[in-house]
Amino acid sequence: MAADPSPAMGEALRHLARAVGRPGDASFADGHDRWSLYRAALDTPGALPLLFEAVSLEPDGPLASGVVGEVLERVAEDERERWVGILPPTVRDFSARRARDLGVLESLQRGTMSADSVAELIDEWSDWLQGRAVRATADQDVLRVVSRRGRTKRIRQAAANALRQR
């Protein structure tokens, strides 16, 4: 049975619930109820500061990590480190890697990462990043690197298909 949140967290959750139009609809002792509230906050403009406060107090590390993972794609690059930093060290690695991966994707989208850099780094990239890189860039040279060096057949094929379509 889940325990009621700490007084500070309870307060943060009540503020967040009001911001998303869900005041008093759950005790928030249950992680599923908190996840539902956090998901609603992700879709509510202006709720991110309140979400940050609540997640920084979240006692369930995997739950906090899941929320931060969702937030990272919605915040500016310079905000990601702050979000990752609120996670307990035991669950921080995935989100830290995702934040770095998103920075790489943005470099590819801006065209500031060269094919030589991609060739040098691609073996260290996650499958997720390799797959997303194909959709993030129109650079023919980058796509050639991914089509030759992507980790899976699916990734290599997606890059080859992108080359044919561009």
Side-chain angles (χ1 to χ4, degrees):
M1 179 174 219
D4 284 327
S6 70
M9 184 175 181
E11 174 127 353
L13 292 170
R14 283 188 294 279
H15 284 106
L16 186 59
R18 278 194 297 277
V20 301
R22 296 172 60 178
D25 75 346
S27 74
F28 302 117
D30 182 76
H32 292 94
D33 290 337
R34 294 193 308 276
W35 174 252
S36 176
L37 175 62
Y38 296 152
R39 293 286 307 159
L42 287 167
D43 296 328
T44 304
L48 282 181
L50 295 170
L51 180 62
F52 183 88
E53 177 67 22
V55 173
S56 73
L57 299 168
E58 176 58 56
D60 182 335
L63 176 56
S65 178
V67 174
V68 170
E70 294 283 328
V71 167
L72 293 176
E73 291 194 58
R74 299 169 190 239
V75 297
E77 188 172 1
D78 62 349
E79 282 289 306
R80 292 185 188 130
E81 187 175 326
R82 188 171 80 97
W83 280 89
V84 171
I86 66 173
L87 293 172
T90 56
V91 296
R92 194 176 291 160
D93 289 347
F94 175 82
S95 292
R97 181 173 181 112
R98 182 55 51 94
R100 287 189 302 273
D101 287 353
L102 289 165
V104 170
L105 282 177
E106 289 162 350
S107 293
L108 289 168
Q109 289 169 331
R110 289 189 304 263
T112 58
M113 180 173 279
S114 69
D116 289 339
S117 293
V118 172
E120 186 177 311
L121 299 171
I122 193 169
D123 293 336
E124 299 169 18
W125 290 359
S126 66
D127 290 358
W128 179 88
L129 176 55
Q130 289 184 13
R132 292 280 298 263
V134 171
R135 296 190 304 267
T137 187
D139 184 315
Q140 301 276 320
D141 294 329
V142 168
L143 289 170
R144 279 189 200 90
V145 171
V146 179
S147 72
R148 288 191 310 269
R149 306 255 319 270
R151 186 170 296 113
T152 67
K153 182 178 180 179
R154 182 182 209 169
I155 291 167
R156 292 187 303 272
Q157 188 64 48
N161 289 342
L163 276 167
R164 283 192 290 277
Q165 294 171 0
R166 293 184 180 138

